[in-house]
Amino acid sequence: GIQVEQSPPDLILQEGANSTLRCNFSDSVNNLQWFHQNPWGQLINLFYIPSGTKQNGRLSATTVATERYSLLYISSSQTTDSGVYFCAVEGSNYQLIWGAGTKLIIKP
Amino acid sequence: NAGVTQTPKFHILKTGQSMTLQCAQDMNHGYMSWYRQDPGMGLRLIYYSAAAGTTDKEVPNGYNVSRLNTEDFPLRLVSAAPSQTSVYLCASTPGTSNEQYFGPGTRLTVT
């Protein structure tokens, strides 16, 4: 089956720093989503991005489907950005396959 | 819209007891899913339903699901085991895409 790898597994930054999170996948996928899980466990859908680039405020994402990776950029980090960021890809059977996540800690 | 709601938020069960985790959505989404999330790991799909009245996947041992209507998607633990200690997350998806919307989760401990 499709493998999804996220890097780095952990990231600690000072408030105001920029960061790039990566998601690699091992086969062609129908779609890709980025999620943020806050420290209270709520999962929020950030981007639904099969290809190309999308931006939402300080966050943006780029997926290069032909090279099987996606990047999530966070600019001017805030403490509220802390949590775990998950990448999930949609395989041929429309099921989501999840990466293990990147745990981000933003220090004030 | 309330989105996806789940109850209870927390629960402790003893081995062998049964309980039902509730999930409801008010967005008229056809597709609903149950996941479990264990510490330090991503989400693992337990079961999904493509529409009310349908069962689309073999239900894993220890669980029972039903989808009598579009809004509700309860997950029943038949005879709880410590291995079922986890955070259970419910999600719904519109028919036009696979974009998932999650509930707040139920943190379940089986002692």
Side-chain angles (χ1 to χ4, degrees):
Chain A
I2 297 175
Q3 305 296 314
V4 180
E5 291 185 358
Q6 291 187 243
S7 59
D10 300 278
L11 188 56
I12 301 174
L13 297 171
Q14 288 296 132
E15 199 168 24
N18 301 329
S19 59
T20 301
L21 282 56
R22 188 176 181 102
C23 173
N24 291 335
F25 43 98
S26 61
D27 204 347
S28 299
V29 297
N30 294 332
N31 222 316
L32 184 144
Q33 299 179 51
W34 282 99
F35 295 87
H36 175 222
Q37 188 169 39
N38 65 25
W40 297 270
Q42 177 71 58
L43 267 167
I44 303 296
N45 195 323
L46 297 175
F47 294 104
Y48 184 69
I49 183 166
S51 63
T53 298
K54 290 186 177 180
Q55 180 152 7
N56 184 1
R58 296 180 295 103
L59 274 62
S60 65
T62 295
T63 296
V64 184
T66 53
E67 298 187 22
R68 300 179 185 166
Y69 73 89
S70 183
L71 302 173
L72 177 69
Y73 305 96
I74 305 173
S75 64
S76 304
S77 299
Q78 300 175 359
T79 55
T80 52
D81 294 330
S82 295
V84 182
Y85 289 81
F86 289 102
C87 163
V89 301
E90 179 187 324
S92 59
N93 60 358
Y94 304 105
Q95 298 303 305
L96 284 185
I97 302 155
W98 293 73
T102 292
K103 184 174 182 180
L104 178 64
I105 297 173
I106 304 297
K107 292 188 170 183
Chain B
N1 288 347
V4 181
T5 58
Q6 290 184 241
T7 56
K9 284 187 167 48
F10 306 93
H11 198 80
I12 299 174
L13 270 181
K14 293 186 177 178
T15 298
Q17 290 182 327
S18 61
M19 79 164 292
T20 299
L21 310 185
Q22 300 291 344
C23 175
Q25 52 93 9
D26 62 359
M27 298 174 282
N28 201 31
H29 289 172
Y31 201 101
M32 297 184 74
S33 309
W34 275 104
Y35 293 88
R36 60 178 288 175
Q37 184 178 25
D38 299 311
M41 298 181 67
L43 277 67
R44 284 188 287 162
L45 180 68
I46 296 172
Y47 189 76
Y48 69 89
S49 167
T54 65
T55 55
D56 299 283
K57 184 179 181 290
E58 186 174 335
V59 182
N61 285 339
Y63 299 99
N64 199 353
V65 290
S66 59
R67 186 83 185 278
L68 300 180
N69 56 51
T70 299
E71 295 79 18
D72 300 299
F73 192 38
L75 176 71
R76 182 165 179 81
L77 279 71
V78 176
S79 177
S83 61
Q84 293 177 304
T85 293
S86 190
V87 175
Y88 288 85
L89 293 161
C90 178
S92 73
T93 306
T96 52
S97 74
N98 202 2
E99 191 168 0
Q100 304 224 341
Y101 297 83
F102 281 86
T106 294
R107 187 175 297 273
L108 181 69
T109 302
V110 182
T111 60

